[in-house]
């Protein structure tokens, strides 16, 4: 997804989100990552500006105070960026393992893990977006 991603070529616009939209995103993150709720105000402080960076191929990157936190494609589920995973490994470590294990047990065929973001890809080099 971010193999040939370049900020100058792929970012189309950036929108500051309203409080109601932020609340909806937080609820979606709580639903998607049960157990993130106690940490959510630390990850997304209430007074910090929350923006969506819209990119080509229907990719959206959620930023808080310029820091890239989550991304998704086509209104799909949010994925934490590797920078957020490194910063908050204690939050996401067991959550990701449980989700991957559960999905593999349900399907039991096909690709077990799809690599959509990795060290040194375009999103990793982007670092922040103001």
């Amino acid at each position: 997804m971010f193999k040939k991603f370049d900020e100058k070529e792929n970012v189309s616009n950036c929108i500051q989100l309203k409080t109601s939209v932020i609340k909806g995103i937080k609820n979606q993150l709580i639903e998607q990552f049960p157990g993130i709720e106690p940490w959510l105000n630390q990850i997304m402080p209430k007074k910090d500006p929350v923006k969506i960076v819209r990119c080509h191929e229907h990719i959206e990157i959620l930023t808080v105070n310029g820091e890239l936190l989550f991304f998704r494609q086509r209104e799909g589920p949010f994925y934490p960026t590797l920078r957020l995973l490194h910063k908050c490994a204690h939050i996401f470590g067991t959550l990701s393992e449980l989700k991957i294990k559960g999905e593999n047990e349900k399907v039991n065929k096909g690709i077990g893990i799809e690599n959509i973001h990795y060290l040194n890809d375009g999103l990793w080099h982007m670092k922040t977006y103001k």
Side-chain angles (χ1 to χ4, degrees), residues 18 81-82 85 102:
K18 295 180 181 179
T81 63
L82 287 176
L85 286 174

Side-chain angles (χ1 to χ4, degrees), residues 1-113:
M1 184 181 297
F2 293 103
K3 188 174 186 177
K4 295 182 180 182
F5 183 84
D6 180 65
E7 179 180 343
K8 292 175 185 169
E9 293 178 17
N10 294 92
V11 173
S12 55
N13 65 358
C14 182
I15 300 165
Q16 181 145 353
L17 300 178
K18 295 180 181 179
T19 307
S20 59
V21 176
I22 295 168
K23 191 173 187 177
I25 288 173
K26 283 184 175 183
N27 288 335
Q28 185 177 348
L29 291 171
I30 290 168
E31 186 178 311
Q32 189 177 338
F33 302 105
I36 196 174
E37 190 169 10
W39 307 100
L40 207 48
N41 284 334
Q42 183 180 359
I43 296 170
M44 298 175 67
K46 290 182 180 181
K47 298 200 180 217
D48 288 354
V50 178
K51 297 179 180 179
I52 286 283
V53 178
R54 292 204 172 130
C55 309
H56 298 311
E57 297 184 33
H58 305 280
I59 296 171
E60 295 180 331
I61 304 170
L62 181 70
T63 70
V64 175
N65 207 22
E67 186 178 354
L68 311 173
L69 299 180
F70 295 93
F71 64 93
R72 68 180 177 178
Q73 188 172 27
R74 296 187 186 276
E75 301 291 324
F78 280 101
Y79 296 100
T81 63
L82 287 176
R83 291 190 186 281
L84 180 60
L85 286 174
H86 286 176
K87 183 178 176 182
C88 302
H90 60 285
I91 299 171
F92 293 100
T94 55
L95 296 176
S96 298
E97 291 168 15
L98 292 174
K99 183 170 176 64
I100 290 168
K101 185 176 183 241
E103 286 178 1
N104 284 345
E105 286 176 355
K106 287 179 194 173
V107 177
N108 202 22
K109 62 181 176 181
I111 299 170
I113 298 174

